Amino acid sequence: MTVIDIHCHAAGIGAGASGCFISPKLRRSWKYPIYLKSFGVTSGELEREGDGLVLRRLSERLAASSRVQQAVVLAMDGVMDGRGDLDRDRTEMYIPNEFLARECRRYPNLLFGASVNPSRPDAVERLDAAAAAGAVLVKWLPSIQGTDPADRRLIPFYRQLAKLGLPLLTHTGQEESFSRADNALADPARLRLPLEEGVTVIAAHCATSGQSHGERNLARLLPLFAQFPNLYADVSALTQVNRWGHLERVLAHREIHGRLLYGTDMPLPAMGLTSPWFHLLRLGTMEARRLAAIGNPWDQDVQLKLALGMPEEILFRAAGILRNNQL
């Protein structure tokens, strides 16, 4: 059976006419060189070979995994201004669908995850184009893109998502990877509207970080599982050092095990943020040492999550959820 990582990121600086960009503020950040290193590239290499190099390196590293066969690589739409145009001044990272779809077609182990900000005047048309280009899901980062999932003006967008059979993978909980975020928009309770409209919604990170209205976000997400069979969540990033204990907290709710999907939030595991040594008290020295010796980041991520109690069937569920996935 095929194991698919549904939550894998790309990057680009605009090299090779990719259309990508990273804001000057983010490029000046201490995080920028670390991100490049985690993708296995340098700025010089990207300038010479183009941003497609990120996808080639990603595919090569994934091909060396013995546990994970495919990964959904996520585009990143930007912030829109009052006219519905891309606001470059407020967008920290932009990875256009056209670039990512083209590059993913080069590698059978990389699946195209589109991103469409619904504030665009042509958002529905962009959804259609993404589906035609082979998108298997649509990714949102509401707290960064300025999208309110509860806005009823998005109903036509949701209905088209449901018609196309495109799942919506949307960040839930506190966002910490960018320099600014409106975390009120990542309140999982705001997902009720797309769920009511029949969209298959995947709550990224299972809302394990932060609070909304004085209540833990995970507590606000859990009741929705009982109400909506079209709600899922991924386990990406739940073993990071800044999310210590989050995977165990999610797995304690056995009633949602059948709704959990496997994801990594790559390249963050390649940055050492999910080292087994952070889980020494739970694993013990010998097991932590064994897991730390696994060189491939996907293989280590799978084995670590299994060691922490993740049921193995979670690894195989995404193949039945993604749109038109060709296995």
Side-chain angles (χ1 to χ4, degrees):
M1 291 186 285
T2 301
V3 177
I4 303 173
D5 172 3
I6 70 160
H7 197 135
C8 183
H9 293 283
I13 61 174
S18 69
C20 301
F21 70 81
I22 296 175
S23 72
K25 183 175 183 179
L26 189 56
R27 292 186 73 158
R28 291 192 299 268
S29 167
W30 60 270
K31 298 177 181 179
Y32 177 66
I34 298 174
Y35 285 148
L36 286 182
K37 184 178 180 180
S38 69
F39 281 112
V41 300
T42 65
S43 291
E45 287 178 319
L46 293 180
E47 294 289 356
R48 290 193 303 272
E49 301 188 41
D51 288 339
L53 179 62
V54 170
L55 282 300
R56 175 156 64 86
R57 295 273 166 85
L58 197 64
S59 175
E60 290 170 349
R61 187 180 289 182
L62 178 58
S65 169
S66 63
R67 295 303 307 261
V68 181
Q69 287 76 51
Q70 293 181 307
V72 180
V73 187
L74 305 171
M76 180 71 173
D77 205 353
V79 180
M80 299 299 116
D81 63 18
R83 299 183 303 275
D85 297 324
L86 182 66
D87 189 334
R88 293 181 68 98
D89 291 336
R90 294 166 57 214
T91 298
E92 294 192 44
M93 180 180 293
Y94 179 63
I95 304 170
N97 290 330
E98 296 79 7
F99 160 73
L100 196 59
R102 181 178 70 246
E103 293 303 317
C104 285
R105 282 194 291 269
R106 300 176 187 269
Y107 308 103
N109 60 352
L110 301 184
L111 305 176
F112 167 41
S115 182
V116 179
N117 190 319
S119 299
R120 288 182 178 272
D122 60 346
V124 171
E125 290 79 6
R126 286 176 178 260
L127 274 185
D128 291 337
V136 297
L137 57 73
V138 170
K139 170 69 190 309
W140 277 359
L141 225 172
S143 53
I144 302 303
Q145 294 169 317
T147 302
D148 181 1
D151 188 341
R152 297 192 64 83
R153 290 176 296 181
L154 304 187
I155 287 177
F157 186 90
Y158 291 144
R159 290 179 176 172
Q160 189 66 7
L161 274 176
K163 178 181 177 181
L164 293 169
L166 276 168
L168 176 63
L169 172 64
T170 182
H171 182 98
T172 51
Q174 187 172 329
E175 169 56 48
E176 299 174 339
S177 298
F178 294 82
S179 64
R180 55 153 195 87
D182 182 358
N183 285 312
L185 298 176
D187 176 359
R190 292 178 181 264
L191 299 177
R192 180 175 295 275
L193 180 60
L195 289 166
E196 289 174 342
E197 292 298 327
V199 178
T200 296
V201 176
I202 306 169
H205 319 305
C206 207
T208 50
S209 62
Q211 298 185 357
S212 298
H213 302 282
E215 185 179 19
R216 286 185 178 273
N217 283 318
L218 176 58
R220 294 174 68 78
L221 177 67
L222 288 172
L224 297 178
F225 285 104
Q227 298 174 50
F228 298 102
N230 47 325
L231 175 62
Y232 296 83
D234 77 25
V235 297
S236 65
L238 299 192
T239 55
Q240 286 180 197
V241 61
N242 61 322
R243 294 177 182 265
W244 192 87
H246 286 198
L247 179 62
E248 294 92 324
R249 191 173 301 134
V250 167
L251 295 177
H253 297 277
R254 299 182 63 85
E255 72 279 6
I256 69 168
H257 283 194
R259 308 287 190 84
L260 298 178
L261 306 176
Y262 177 69
T264 62
D265 212 11
M266 201 68 71
L268 296 185
M271 297 167 64
L273 295 176
T274 61
S275 170
W277 292 111
F278 297 136
H279 306 273
L280 180 61
L281 292 178
R282 177 74 184 272
L283 297 170
T285 303
M286 291 184 63
E287 181 69 349
R289 181 180 292 114
R290 181 186 73 84
L291 295 171
I294 299 173
N296 185 277
W298 274 281
D299 290 348
Q300 186 183 92
D301 186 80
V302 168
Q303 295 291 357
L304 174 59
K305 286 171 178 169
L306 291 174
L308 293 173
M310 182 184 76
E312 191 165 13
E313 58 265 25
I314 289 173
L315 294 170
F316 310 110
R317 189 165 293 125
I321 303 299
L322 301 176
R323 179 184 187 272
N324 290 341
N325 182 45
Q326 300 298 317
L327 301 179

